[in-house]
Amino acid sequence: MDKQVILASNAGFCFGVKRAVDEALEVKRQHPGITVYTLGPLIHNSHAVNFLKDKNIEPMELGNIEHLKPNDFIIIRSHGIPKDIYEYLKEKKLNIIDATCPFVTKIQKKAEEYYKKGYKIIIVGDGNHPEVIGINGWCNNSSIFYKNGEFSEELPNKVCVLSQTTEKQENFEKAIQYVSKHCKEFVAFNTICSATNERQTSATELSSKVDAMIVLGGKNSSNTTKLYEICLNNCSNTIHVESAQDIPESFLNGENFKKIGITAGASTPDWIIKEAINKMNNENVMDMNDVMNYMDENERKIYVGQKIKGIIVSMNNDGIYVNINYKVEGIIPTTEISIEEVNSFKMGDEIEAKVIQRVNENGNVVLSRIEVEKEVSLSELKAHFENKENINVTIKEEIKGGLITTYKGINLFLPASLVDLYHVDKLSDYIGKELEVSIIEFVEGKRENKMVVSRKAILVKEKEEIEAKAWENFELGETYEGTVKRIANFGAFVEVNGVDGLLHLSEMSWGKIDNPKSILKINEKIKVKIIALDKENKKLSLSVKALLENPWNDICDKYPEGNIALGKVVRFASFGAFIELEPGVDGLVHLSEISHKRIEKADEMLSIGENVKVKILKVDKENKKISLSIKATE
């Protein structure tokens, strides 16, 4: 039976370590005659370190940096360094290439920020680890360390808890549990790199299924050592080697090992894993020149505007970190994730995003989900336009001439004249509302896209459909409920079942009305009667008066001759004054019946709006006339 070699699903750091190697080799390419120094070995692998030494790239310990001269090149490895060392390098005027892991940089910034706020910094991890030493240097080397279930000193009341990136999750949780019980005020940031847990989980699963296990990585790498301990616990035939050259013959030729697993630590480059797999399969082992060529050939090309897929490896307040199979991870900032999507992603999900910056200040590729959504939305909008389909948009803001609306992240223009059927006085009332609109213009341009929508077009169509149905059902003389839409000097337009009808001033009341606004309001619901119907020309005449009792019907019963009544002066004539007894019923007081005195004009004794007592002299129902006398009441 042939030997089967299985690689753990999460192993190594892919191209992460290549970032530092590339920086060093690029400096050498530009300055071939100099020595490039690195603060500690860039790679936890003796073969790779020796290869770099051959290229005149030398590792240097912190204690020897005083020997560096101005303009010397120094590379800071992924573990990072204390702040005072960083400042010292700057003071020496060295050429600094900072290859600190972006995750570690963020922890350093947190340590510095909360130290300045008065918090005591707690670091869950090994106080002697280079990464932890570096972090501690950003809070004046005053951190408390939590390791193996113990704190290095007594805890104060106010603390900030951070973690080494490669620490176990359970240790971080134990530290938090203790702090929550013994400190009055604390903040905590889970700064464990998610790749560590995933790597350990896949190593656990694989080592329990194979006959033998190979763990690749530096002997002085705590991350790799933990992987070795995990695998050894599940598989007694587990070895820890730095490279393919160190794999013993017993593993290569052992007949008892039919199924062999391989995993690698976080600092193990992809090419070292490839090299080991080749050797286990009796293929040629690459030399270091082949290795660098392999790395270059397999390096992903990144350009702005590129759509790229990757796996979510970490999530925090800054955004989502994505393994994009590149020498650095991609980050999708929270500002580049829509509100609708912000809570929909989880660790391990595959995600598609668009490159908007090849490298930021932390060395990450900056990605955007919003730009991908916009591209999808733009395609949807084009399809809706071509198929003449309506869409729902949200009103975003008011601008000159109309409103800006949004459809899944895309802005569209809604002209003021197309917002409603009628003129809109206050466009700002629509902000925040969701409206159904149709796309009436869609132009894709190199600089910008032009998209215009209309709500009026939909309303017009709806109104036409409603009106057509209404005209079929309207009947002369029937009563309907209507809504006052517009008011003019001559009357009001009332919408009945979607159709505008005219309520003339003369049909509003039996009484005289000078101004329709005195009795009607916009959007007021009123009962009206159809008094004229022209379906062919679509004209509708309405009346409120027709629904009211004619006050002259029983006029003789209501106003018997010889009785005294109270009325109101409503207008004057050359021959007297008209007194309103009730709306629609006016009587005339002749000049001779106003006063016992001789007067030339009615306004000598009376005023418009004045209430007066009158005696009913004569009622002519047929001609709708009533003769009154003020004089006779005295």
Side-chain angles (χ1 to χ4, degrees):
M1 180 178 178
D2 293 335
K3 178 170 68 254
Q4 183 181 7
V5 180
I6 306 170
L7 177 64
S9 58
N10 291 284
F13 201 78
C14 294
F15 288 91
V17 92
K18 184 177 184 292
R19 177 187 179 198
V21 175
D22 278 348
E23 293 282 5
L25 293 176
E26 179 61 22
V27 173
K28 284 297 299 177
R29 188 186 66 79
Q30 295 181 14
H31 307 277
I34 67 169
T35 298
V36 176
Y37 299 97
T38 67
L39 282 180
L42 291 183
I43 303 175
H44 285 163
N45 182 274
S46 58
H47 301 285
V49 171
N50 291 333
F51 168 78
L52 293 175
K53 285 182 179 180
D54 291 340
K55 298 287 186 181
N56 214 14
I57 299 171
E58 295 283 347
M60 173 179 283
E61 297 302 322
L62 287 175
N64 296 325
I65 58 177
E66 69 271 9
H67 300 302
L68 295 174
K69 299 182 290 296
N71 297 319
D72 278 349
F73 283 85
I74 185 74
I75 298 177
I76 301 172
R77 60 180 177 172
S78 60
H79 295 112
I81 57 175
K83 184 177 182 180
D84 59 342
I85 301 297
Y86 191 86
E87 296 297 332
Y88 179 69
L89 297 178
K90 287 167 53 176
E91 288 175 8
K92 286 183 70 66
K93 297 182 179 179
L94 302 172
N95 290 307
I96 303 170
I97 293 92
D98 191 352
T100 304
C101 168
F103 288 107
V104 176
T105 299
K106 286 182 172 59
I107 303 173
Q108 292 173 345
K109 289 180 179 179
K110 288 291 184 186
E112 182 179 34
E113 175 188 354
Y114 281 87
Y115 173 74
K116 290 180 178 179
K117 290 180 179 180
Y119 288 82
K120 187 74 170 179
I121 305 301
I122 295 175
I123 303 176
V124 181
D126 183 357
N128 296 317
H129 192 279
E131 177 191 315
V132 177
I133 292 172
I135 296 168
N136 191 29
W138 289 82
C139 54
N140 200 30
N141 297 305
S142 63
S143 298
I144 297 173
F145 305 111
Y146 178 83
K147 187 68 176 175
N148 298 324
E150 295 182 357
F151 290 93
S152 59
E153 61 182 85
E154 188 176 343
L155 300 185
N157 289 328
K158 186 177 179 180
V159 300
C160 171
V161 186
L162 303 170
S163 176
Q164 183 178 336
T165 55
T166 56
E167 190 53 68
K168 291 181 179 179
Q169 178 68 27
E170 60 185 274
N171 291 339
F172 182 76
E173 292 173 355
K174 287 177 181 178
I176 294 298
Q177 188 176 16
Y178 185 90
V179 167
S180 64
K181 294 178 180 179
H182 294 83
C183 299
K184 291 183 179 180
E185 179 182 349
F186 78 94
V187 292
F189 300 94
N190 188 345
T191 52
I192 298 173
C193 177
S194 59
T196 299
N197 184 57
E198 293 172 5
R199 191 179 298 106
Q200 292 176 353
T201 299
S202 62
T204 301
E205 293 175 355
L206 181 59
S207 60
S208 62
K209 300 176 182 178
V210 296
D211 302 317
M213 194 76 189
I214 300 172
V215 180
L216 293 167
K219 292 291 186 178
N220 58 343
S221 167
S222 62
N223 177 278
T224 309
T225 301
K226 289 174 186 175
L227 283 178
Y228 172 69
E229 293 170 353
I230 290 171
C231 294
L232 184 62
N233 187 53
N234 292 327
C235 178
S236 58
N237 297 314
T238 297
I239 60 171
H240 177 184
V241 296
E242 289 197 346
S243 68
Q245 287 85 344
D246 302 325
I247 299 174
E249 288 295 322
S250 60
F251 268 67
L252 296 173
N253 303 317
E255 295 182 0
N256 295 328
F257 302 154
K258 301 301 182 182
K259 188 181 294 185
I260 301 175
I262 297 179
T263 188
S267 59
T268 306
D270 186 61
W271 55 264
I272 290 181
I273 301 173
K274 173 71 173 176
E275 188 181 40
I277 294 174
N278 282 359
K279 185 168 185 178
M280 293 302 299
N281 289 321
N282 298 317
E283 297 176 8
N284 292 329
V285 178
M286 300 180 288
D287 61 26
M288 285 306 296
N289 288 317
D290 292 332
V291 163
M292 298 314 297
N293 290 332
Y294 171 82
M295 292 162 72
D296 287 333
E297 289 170 4
N298 287 275
E299 180 179 354
R300 192 169 195 173
K301 305 303 180 185
I302 297 293
Y303 57 89
V304 171
Q306 177 183 6
K307 279 203 295 187
I308 197 166
K309 289 183 179 181
I311 303 298
I312 296 175
V313 295
S314 180
M315 302 172 71
N316 57 32
N317 292 334
D318 296 325
I320 297 175
Y321 288 87
V322 184
N323 178 1
I324 56 175
N325 194 25
Y326 188 55
K327 60 186 177 182
V328 294
E329 290 177 335
I331 180 174
I332 308 175
T334 52
T335 54
E336 292 299 324
I337 307 170
S338 66
I339 295 175
E340 294 78 11
E341 282 197 330
V342 72
N343 294 318
S344 63
F345 298 114
K346 63 183 184 297
M347 303 284 289
D349 283 353
E350 184 180 61
I351 189 170
E352 184 178 43
K354 184 175 281 191
V355 178
I356 58 175
Q357 187 178 7
R358 293 187 70 250
V359 60
N360 65 2
E361 65 276 7
N362 293 322
N364 295 110
V365 178
V366 183
L367 308 171
S368 172
R369 270 297 300 169
I370 287 178
E371 292 304 316
V372 171
E373 291 175 10
K374 282 183 178 179
E375 190 172 293
V376 174
S377 300
L378 195 63
S379 177
E380 288 181 8
L381 284 170
K382 186 175 183 179
H384 290 315
F385 173 70
E386 293 173 347
N387 297 327
K388 297 181 179 179
E389 296 169 339
N390 297 337
I391 60 172
N392 290 320
V393 297
T394 301
I395 306 302
K396 183 178 178 182
E397 61 180 314
E398 178 184 359
I399 62 171
K400 184 178 180 181
L403 297 166
I404 294 295
T405 73
T406 61
Y407 174 84
K408 297 182 179 180
I410 302 289
N411 288 343
L412 307 97
F413 179 56
L414 174 58
S417 60
L418 301 180
V419 174
D420 209 329
L421 290 171
Y422 311 108
H423 174 72
V424 177
D425 293 322
K426 196 175 180 183
L427 289 173
S428 59
D429 288 343
Y430 286 86
I431 295 176
K433 292 184 177 180
E434 185 176 291
L435 302 177
E436 185 181 9
V437 297
S438 62
I439 307 169
I440 60 174
E441 188 173 357
F442 184 94
V443 179
E444 292 182 274
K446 290 184 178 180
R447 292 189 176 183
E448 61 180 353
N449 301 314
K450 183 179 180 182
M451 282 158 283
V452 182
V453 296
S454 170
R455 179 170 176 254
K456 185 176 182 178
I458 295 176
L459 297 178
V460 168
K461 185 177 180 180
E462 290 177 350
K463 186 174 176 62
E464 289 174 349
E465 293 174 353
I466 292 172
E467 285 183 355
K469 186 176 181 180
W471 283 109
E472 291 179 5
N473 298 321
F474 279 147
E475 292 188 16
L476 186 65
E478 290 295 319
T479 301
Y480 298 88
E481 182 179 72
T483 303
V484 179
K485 289 297 183 181
R486 287 174 289 160
I487 299 176
N489 292 331
F490 55 83
F493 290 93
V494 179
E495 184 183 87
V496 179
N497 293 347
V499 176
D500 286 349
L502 174 62
L503 175 61
H504 193 270
L505 189 66
S506 61
E507 292 297 328
M508 292 183 181
S509 172
W510 286 101
K512 181 176 176 59
I513 297 173
D514 295 321
N515 185 0
K517 291 183 179 180
S518 63
I519 63 169
L520 294 177
K521 294 180 180 179
I522 298 295
N523 292 326
E524 179 183 358
K525 303 286 186 181
I526 59 174
K527 294 286 186 180
V528 292
K529 186 176 183 178
I530 297 179
I531 57 174
L533 181 62
D534 185 348
K535 292 186 177 183
E536 184 176 347
N537 296 305
K538 292 185 169 45
K539 290 185 178 181
L540 190 67
S541 296
L542 309 172
S543 174
V544 172
K545 184 172 76 172
L547 298 175
L548 304 174
E549 184 182 359
N550 188 334
W552 287 91
N553 287 343
D554 53 354
I555 196 69
C556 296
D557 296 331
K558 292 189 292 184
Y559 299 100
E561 293 179 0
N563 283 285
I564 304 298
L566 182 66
K568 180 172 68 176
V569 179
V570 290
R571 62 187 184 280
F572 295 130
S574 59
F575 47 81
F578 287 94
I579 310 299
E580 182 184 69
L581 299 177
E582 64 177 80
V585 178
D586 293 348
L588 174 64
V589 179
H590 194 271
L591 276 176
S592 60
E593 293 295 332
I594 293 176
S595 175
H596 290 288
K597 298 178 182 179
R598 180 178 176 80
I599 59 174
E600 297 294 331
K601 295 181 179 180
D603 59 5
E604 293 178 22
M605 298 292 294
L606 301 173
S607 300
I608 297 295
E610 179 183 358
N611 290 321
V612 295
K613 284 184 179 181
V614 293
K615 187 171 186 177
I616 301 167
L617 301 180
K618 184 179 180 181
V619 177
D620 184 353
K621 178 180 178 181
E622 186 176 346
N623 295 305
K624 296 183 180 180
K625 291 182 179 181
I626 300 177
S627 297
L628 306 172
S629 174
I630 296 175
K631 181 173 69 174
T633 64
E634 298 176 356

